[in-house]
Amino acid sequence: MTVIRLIGRNVSRHKYKSILHILIGVFIVLILDIYAGNMERTEQELARLPEALPVSARISSLNGSMRECLAIREDRVMGIRESEYVKDPVFTVRLKFGFGEFTLEEYKENLNHYGRGMNALSDVFGLGREQITFLEGVDESVLETSQKVCLMEEALMEARGLRRGDDVMLTTYYYRCAPEGSEVFIEPLVTDTYRIVGSMLTGDYRGEWMPPEVILPFDCVREAYRSQGIAFFADSGSFMVKDPFQLNALKAQMYNEVRFLPVITRALPRYDGNALTIMDEAFIRSAETLLGNIELLRRMFPFLVSILIFIGYLCSYLSLQSRQEEYALMRSLGTGRGRSFLLLFGETAFLAAAACVSGSFAALFLFRTKAVVLVLSAALFLLTFLLGTAVALIAFHRLSVMQVLTRKD
């Protein structure tokens, strides 16, 4: 308690120097709060970047001119669907269909509707959840199965007198691209019965091909290909990148393992869906900027610490120079080095703590700084500033007491 009283008395006696100490400390704490706040905000922006700038990818023809009506091999489809770097893949396959069962010779009179197999609803085509009315107990996840169900265009259902929950027999045909990629043939696939589990509006359809009047689950169509011994090809494909910070791993997998190619604009037009375009330019540009800012702030940290130690040393050194006689008298009256150090260090620690509290409150109201940033800034200030103070006091203790007391003589 005696030490605390002495520290309080000395702070009061040297009030102008004490106020100056506090003002310097407040200024430093504010600078540290700004620095730490910038670091935290930049790191948070980097962490939120995948949500702010999601990265998508689309399969196209080699020259990039076509993104639908392609022939995408099944192994490439499965390579994307099974990738740990991919989320929300959307694949489609074109179909043409007619109602009931009819022979190949009768297809001209009956094969007059367009359909599509899809594994998920996609706003890419303007076919989102809001355009579909599902049967009770059914949702869009039914398209991820291989069930024999379908979604049908409302106008077509009205024309045919159909309702949700009805079973309907459809004969489907598939599109086959010629090996050289310049011609497309339409050939019979399968005749089967499907349950109508949803009705849809296609007025907002944005695809390049005809609006689908029926949508079947993608794997249901794939199973039909397999049952007929037909090689399966999808006609469009896209996906979102699960973690854009793993773009290099994704590209290595897609281009080396799944065997996609980058777009070559001068390539001949073909139906082969063998090129992959990853729309990552905006994400990479923003990530590089944020990473550069973080790296700059981190490189500044050692210099900032050094400056704080120096300021703590300089403030204490300049303050103590005018108190040499006071120190010499205190020592001559029997106060030991340790107690003297404790008294002088305690004064600075008290002033530094006052500066921390004042600076933290100022930062809280001026910059709305978070509590964790305030605590870290205050801890860094106290640690570095008092370390400089300790260095100055150790040097100060080297003074000769007798030399100071006899200086005026």
Side-chain angles (χ1 to χ4, degrees):
M1 294 299 295
T2 303
V3 172
I4 294 175
R5 282 197 299 271
L6 288 173
I7 289 173
R9 188 182 65 184
N10 287 339
V11 168
S12 179
R13 282 177 55 207
H14 303 282
K15 60 181 177 179
Y16 294 112
K17 290 182 180 179
S18 299
I19 292 172
L20 182 61
H21 255 76
I22 292 174
L23 290 177
I24 292 172
V26 168
F27 179 71
I28 294 173
V29 169
L30 287 174
I31 291 177
L32 285 175
D33 286 331
I34 293 172
Y35 171 85
N38 284 337
M39 175 68 82
E40 184 198 34
R41 282 191 296 273
T42 305
E43 290 179 340
Q44 287 180 347
E45 286 179 15
L46 185 63
R48 290 195 298 262
L49 194 59
E51 181 180 349
L53 292 174
V55 178
S56 61
R58 289 292 301 268
I59 300 172
S60 70
S61 58
L62 188 57
N63 64 4
S65 62
M66 296 174 58
R67 293 188 172 183
E68 292 184 50
C69 306
L70 301 169
I72 306 170
R73 293 196 325 239
E74 186 174 12
D75 62 316
R76 288 187 171 130
V77 171
M78 298 311 297
I80 289 175
R81 295 180 76 178
E82 294 171 358
S83 172
E84 67 270 31
Y85 306 113
V86 168
K87 69 174 183 178
D88 302 330
V90 178
F91 290 99
T92 68
V93 54
R94 288 184 297 167
L95 299 168
K96 202 167 184 183
F97 72 94
F99 288 90
E101 185 175 7
F102 51 86
T103 64
L104 185 61
E105 291 74 20
E106 297 171 327
Y107 85 94
K108 289 185 179 180
E109 294 79 21
N110 296 279
L111 195 66
N112 44 26
H113 299 286
Y114 295 92
R116 216 152 194 179
M118 298 181 68
N119 70 317
L121 298 174
S122 173
D123 289 330
V124 171
F125 301 103
L127 295 173
R129 177 65 180 82
E130 59 277 7
Q131 279 77 39
I132 312 294
T133 303
F134 285 98
L135 196 64
E136 186 177 353
V138 180
D139 57 28
E140 58 266 31
S141 64
V142 72
L143 295 177
E144 300 173 7
T145 71
S146 58
Q147 297 178 43
K148 293 181 181 180
V149 296
C150 69
L151 310 177
M152 189 170 291
E153 214 277 328
E154 285 191 2
L156 182 59
M157 290 175 62
E158 290 178 7
R160 289 279 174 172
L162 296 169
R163 296 180 300 177
R164 291 186 294 275
D166 290 348
D167 291 331
V168 61
M169 179 178 287
L170 303 176
T171 296
T172 54
Y173 278 56
Y174 73 99
Y175 290 83
R176 178 177 64 83
C177 297
E180 62 274 10
S182 59
E183 292 184 276
V184 177
F185 302 93
I186 185 166
E187 298 182 351
L189 179 59
V190 70
T191 299
D192 217 328
T193 300
Y194 304 89
R195 187 186 185 205
I196 303 174
V197 295
S199 57
M200 61 183 179
L201 298 171
T202 57
D204 295 331
Y205 180 73
R206 295 191 296 268
E208 299 172 5
W209 193 57
M210 298 295 295
E213 296 168 279
V214 162
I215 293 178
L216 302 176
F218 183 78
D219 285 329
C220 174
V221 179
R222 197 161 67 93
E223 289 294 329
Y225 272 75
R226 184 174 288 118
S227 68
Q228 301 301 314
I230 302 170
F232 178 78
F233 291 89
D235 93 288
S236 74
S238 64
F239 62 86
M240 302 300 297
V241 178
K242 183 182 293 184
D243 183 2
F245 292 112
Q246 294 185 316
L247 274 171
N248 290 337
L250 169 70
K251 290 178 180 179
Q253 185 184 65
M254 291 296 111
Y255 294 125
N256 297 333
E257 298 178 23
V258 188
R259 300 297 182 183
F260 277 109
L261 299 171
V263 171
I264 303 172
T265 55
R266 291 180 292 179
L268 295 174
R270 299 281 295 262
Y271 288 107
D272 294 334
N274 56 0
L276 183 67
T277 303
I278 301 175
M279 280 70 83
D280 58 0
E281 295 85 358
F283 179 86
I284 291 176
R285 199 161 48 241
S286 299
E288 286 177 346
T289 300
L290 291 173
L291 286 170
N293 292 341
I294 291 173
E295 182 63 23
L296 178 62
L297 290 170
R298 286 176 177 170
R299 288 183 178 180
M300 288 174 58
F301 185 74
F303 296 101
L304 187 61
V305 170
S306 301
I307 290 170
L308 290 177
I309 294 173
F310 176 74
I311 291 175
Y313 169 81
L314 187 63
C315 288
S316 298
Y317 176 80
L318 294 176
S319 176
L320 292 171
Q321 292 308 303
S322 61
R323 299 176 63 181
Q324 291 185 11
E325 292 184 8
E326 179 185 339
Y327 172 75
L329 285 171
M330 186 167 54
R331 289 293 310 283
S332 66
L333 292 174
T335 305
R337 284 178 177 270
R339 186 178 179 82
S340 301
F341 180 91
L342 182 62
L343 286 171
L344 296 174
F345 187 82
E347 290 179 34
T348 305
F350 175 80
L351 296 174
C356 273
V357 173
S358 303
S360 297
F361 273 110
L364 181 63
F365 288 105
L366 291 175
F367 311 125
R368 297 292 186 267
T369 308
K370 292 184 178 180
V372 64
V373 174
L374 296 176
V375 171
L376 290 175
S377 299
L380 178 62
F381 168 73
L382 288 174
L383 180 65
T384 54
F385 193 85
L386 294 181
L387 179 60
T389 298
V391 173
L393 288 175
I394 291 172
F396 189 68
H397 280 313
R398 294 176 182 173
L399 287 173
S400 170
V401 174
M402 293 303 298
Q403 186 178 0
V404 173
L405 292 175
T406 59
R407 184 179 296 167
K408 292 184 178 181
D409 298 337

